[in-house]
Amino acid sequence: MTDRIPSTRSGRDGPLVRTVVHPEVPRPRSSEDNLLEVRRIRWSEDLLVVSATGEIDLATAGRLERALWGDLPAATVLDLTEVTFLGVAGLRVIESAATRAHAERRATGVVASTRPVLRLLHLFGVDAHVSVYQYLATAIREVSMAVPAPKP
């Protein structure tokens, strides 16, 4: 939006006019519904793929947490290839889900290919105790084979 404001100074052709540019008014942030989409795909009887698209931050991490909670099969793959932002709140959800899977003797893996997500997983050491894969097909194959045997 621009306004033309007459100046109090005058030139030989009349009053000088200057243009003032007003910055746009910031729009409110979209609701969490538009920031993150989470899908649960039952790949097989023993494998669940949870796919996230969008931003995982404090406002949206609960949606991911709900998808990774409840009665889960022997193996879970979390696909983050379409995640554009991963905040610490999302990282905590991933770590919590991985810790729970380990305690319940279930296999888990994460698929990530974008630099911001991979960097955060590495900086916080998540990749040291959760298998991280570049491709979904590889993760499905490897995690399915890594399902621990039931306790006697």
Side-chain angles (χ1 to χ4, degrees):
M1 175 179 186
T2 60
D3 290 326
R4 296 182 64 84
I5 301 174
S7 174
T8 55
R9 294 185 296 159
S10 296
R12 68 173 192 192
D13 297 328
L16 294 175
V17 177
R18 62 182 180 169
T19 302
V20 178
V21 178
H22 297 285
E24 287 188 30
V25 176
R27 295 181 181 170
R29 185 173 171 179
S30 303
S31 70
E32 98 177 52
D33 294 339
N34 298 333
L35 294 175
L36 181 67
E37 179 184 344
V38 178
R39 294 178 308 279
R40 290 174 53 119
I41 303 159
R42 193 62 181 242
W43 200 266
S44 69
E45 184 179 321
D46 292 335
L47 177 66
L48 175 69
V49 176
V50 176
S51 178
T53 302
E55 300 176 9
I56 304 173
D57 59 10
L58 187 60
T60 61
R63 177 171 286 158
L64 180 63
E65 186 173 36
R66 287 187 297 275
L68 293 169
W69 201 249
D71 189 25
L72 297 174
T76 303
V77 172
L78 177 58
D79 182 5
L80 302 177
T81 54
E82 296 294 321
V83 170
T84 56
F85 175 80
L86 177 63
V88 174
L91 200 61
R92 288 183 180 150
V93 168
I94 294 167
E95 287 182 313
S96 174
T99 301
R100 179 177 163 228
H102 181 73
E104 294 174 356
R105 300 188 46 83
R106 291 184 295 103
T108 189
V110 174
V111 182
S113 58
T114 60
R115 184 179 172 142
V117 173
L118 288 169
R119 184 163 171 76
L120 197 64
L121 292 172
H122 179 71
L123 283 174
F124 283 86
V126 175
D127 61 348
H129 60 275
V130 178
S131 298
V132 178
Y133 303 92
Q134 186 174 7
Y135 302 106
L136 181 60
T138 306
I140 288 171
R141 185 180 63 247
E142 297 291 325
V143 172
S144 295
M145 292 176 20
V147 175
K151 285 185 177 180

